Amino acid sequence: MSDIKTFERTISGRKLVIESGKLAGQANGAVTVRYGDTVILATVVVAKEPRPGVDFLPLTIDVEERMYAAGRIPGGFIRREGRPSENATLAARLADRPLRPLLPKYWRREIQIIVTVLTADQENDPDILGVIGASCALGISEMPFEGPLSAVHVGYIDGEFVINPTHSQLADSKLDVVVASTKKAVTMLEAGANEAPEDLMYEAIRIGHEANQEIIALQEEMVAAVGKAKWEVSPPVIDAGLLDKVSAIVDGKLAEAFYQADKSQRQENLGKIKGELMESLGEEFDRGAVMEAYDKKIRQLVRSTILDKKERVSGRGIEEIRELSAEVGVLPRVHGSSLFSRGQTQILNIVTLGSLQMEQKLDNIAPETSKRYIHHYNFPPYSVGEAKRIGTGRREIGHGALAERALLPVIPSEAEFPYALRLVSEAVSSNGSTSMASTCASSLSLMDAGVPIKKAVAGISVGLITDDANPDRFVTLTDIEGLEDNYGDMDFKVAGTRDGITAIQLDIKLKGISFAVIEATLAQARRAREVILDVMDKAISHSRAEMSPYAPRMYKLKIDPSKIGAVIGPGGRVIRAIIEETKTSIDIEDDGTVIIGASDGEAAKKAIAIIEGMTKDIEPGTTYSGKVTRIMSFGAFMEILPGKEGMVHISELANRRVDKVEDVLKIGDIVNVKVIEIDSQGRINLSIRALLPPPTEEEKEAMRNQAPPQGGFRRSAPGAPMERGDRPQFRR
């Protein structure tokens, strides 16, 4: 314990404490990071031998959410953590994206970084602590690393920028931007915003980068005190002779084969050149080395042509967007659908509406325990002409979350639109930036479904090509294709309305980008967004007035909150019975708001009548339609509202004398009755007679001449005093 070292700074009024030497001593690097009462453990372990057959940087970052961190027991039968939650997956991606460019890309030994959330105070987000912790663990380990790296949240509340706003503060913030950066430049951005203007977003990024510098200085202090000596590693060198022979074969052919608007034609041409290379050089040189040299030639061609000639692979201009098209209502019976195409990127989006009972329950450590708006994204292998395993990975989760964040500011509130919403984006064809196409398609299908979104949202991805010798010389590319993403330096996604930005996601392959690049990208993305929104408006410019006939309808009513228990019943028995009887969905809020969902309007009316009946106060003088439930010798019991019965005495069945109740009523009869009294014990006395016309003189005379019934009192005429026979006699 004598090796424990602690380093701390005050950031935005709270202490950031980084500690090493106490936990996970067998890892190559391990630290705990505490901010407020949120604590994470970050560890890095590097394999001792290279991973066989790997031609990429084998880095894995996992975020482990422990439910004890939030004082919760996991859901599910086994009551232990299962696969990572969506929040954990997104936090892992948040750390991976800025760290990866700072590690040697030619490294082939497995690197595993695990961030474990030990406590979560529900106010300070552990996601940025994972980024800081991973940077610290790498910094003090033997692993070569061009850090330190830091990340902060930036909010904008009441006209002021706030560093690391708490969860409760974010409710009032215009934006929430995660800025990750090194000492020199920004390396990653992740943002959600409520239509923030470009200049406000730019300033938030700048302030976030400045705030990171103090945390980076703290890490440098730590590395200087406890850091281990770094392993030395040299980058691989491509055989100059091999490069010359590859150049001799491909020069003169590559540009003609490569610069094609059609992706499949380009791939076919490049496949022929690849085959020729392998046939000529495959026996003399290692095949992997041949392909590496070939890839280097392609990279040089793409980058130099864009930088020097401002020419792109497809022949488009630098800011030219591929051909756009938008359709709505493309599928029958679904609640809303759209098809959005941008070149060979094509997204089919489907909206499904449901009751609030269908909202997603979140079993994680975040303060939010459920959400009613859900966006899922699928990337089947046929979308890129491949045949491989189908599955949902981190990329699919990340793209779905980005589209969800982009649309969240325009989704109507629960009070305005009491539905759960699930959107699914199917990437049926892909050639670059399906996530931004998903944003466009989602906006279209929401309007097609009749969801009253506030405005249309569109998105675009902007790429970057920099001069390897002079980083200040660069070109930003609107609407990058897959190949430009592969050989470029940046994928900067920006989504928003005509009035401002709603989401940003930045991934780079460089060790950072300048603020000149950021400023140019934001302006370029806005111009592109206007063009896309014009095309979308031609397909549908506002939400439909009517929802699909196949969508459920939601009906809202208000009951006395003190009567919620009566509607729910013991163990939920009563409300389950109503749902089963009416085939509806019923949600009850604490303030007495009841939302009933049904595809059939009559079913909804029935459920409303039952609930209103259970919660309505019975008043004397009111008329109800009652159903006979029991018949006794002295009268009939009738259900006038669900769960509420009254009695019609035999003397109140008609405007004449009745000898037997069965002469007038039988079980199941439905008749109108009037409440004539609610006695001191709460018993409800009903009358049919009170609703009938008075008897004629002849009827009165006939009743006077009738003999009284055996052994009892009777009422000789309507309105006459009570005589023996009217009420049953009870003896002790």
Side-chain angles (χ1 to χ4, degrees), residues 533-714:
L533 286 168
D534 286 343
V535 173
M536 291 168 59
D537 282 348
K538 290 177 183 177
I540 187 168
S541 59
H542 56 272
S543 297
R544 297 193 191 282
E546 292 291 330
M547 295 190 300
S548 163
Y550 304 105
R553 264 56 178 177
M554 298 296 162
Y555 303 84
K556 188 183 289 188
L557 65 148
K558 199 87 167 177
I559 64 172
D560 185 340
S562 67
K563 296 184 179 178
I564 292 174
V567 178
I568 295 173
R573 201 160 50 238
V574 174
I575 196 169
R576 283 199 303 271
I578 301 172
I579 291 170
E580 178 62 29
E581 180 183 347
T582 61
K583 303 296 186 261
T584 60
S585 65
I586 302 174
D587 298 285
I588 304 179
E589 299 174 4
D590 292 341
D591 66 352
T593 300
V594 181
I595 298 173
I596 297 170
S599 298
D600 179 6
E602 290 303 314
K605 288 179 183 177
K606 185 176 180 181
I608 290 169
I610 292 173
I611 292 172
E612 284 183 337
M614 296 176 67
T615 57
K616 193 183 242 183
D617 290 328
I618 305 297
E619 297 181 4
T622 309
T623 300
Y624 295 91
S625 179
K627 181 179 180 180
V628 179
T629 57
R630 291 178 291 157
I631 291 179
M632 310 295 286
S633 62
F634 51 84
F637 286 91
M638 305 184 76
E639 185 179 52
I640 57 172
L641 289 174
K644 293 189 177 180
E645 281 189 339
M647 189 193 78
V648 183
H649 188 261
I650 191 170
S651 63
E652 296 293 335
L653 289 174
N655 56 12
R656 56 183 173 80
R657 193 174 72 77
V658 176
D659 293 329
K660 292 176 61 180
V661 176
E662 291 87 342
D663 292 342
V664 178
L665 296 174
K666 62 181 183 294
I667 291 177
D669 281 353
I670 298 175
V671 294
N672 289 334
V673 292
K674 184 175 184 178
V675 178
I676 56 174
E677 180 191 19
I678 300 176
D679 68 18
S680 59
Q681 298 182 50
R683 293 177 299 192
I684 303 168
N685 293 322
L686 307 172
S687 174
I688 298 173
R689 182 172 65 84
L691 298 175
L692 299 174
T696 63
E697 290 300 324
E698 290 79 4
E699 288 173 333
K700 290 179 182 179
E701 183 63 28
M703 284 187 284
R704 280 194 289 268
N705 293 332
Q706 285 180 344
Q710 285 278 340
F713 292 97
R714 66 176 176 82

Side-chain angles (χ1 to χ4, degrees), residues 4-19:
I4 296 174
K5 300 288 185 182
T6 301
F7 305 84
E8 62 181 60
R9 287 282 195 284
T10 299
I11 307 295
S12 195
R14 284 151 283 167
K15 275 191 177 181
L16 174 70
V17 181
I18 307 174
E19 186 176 75

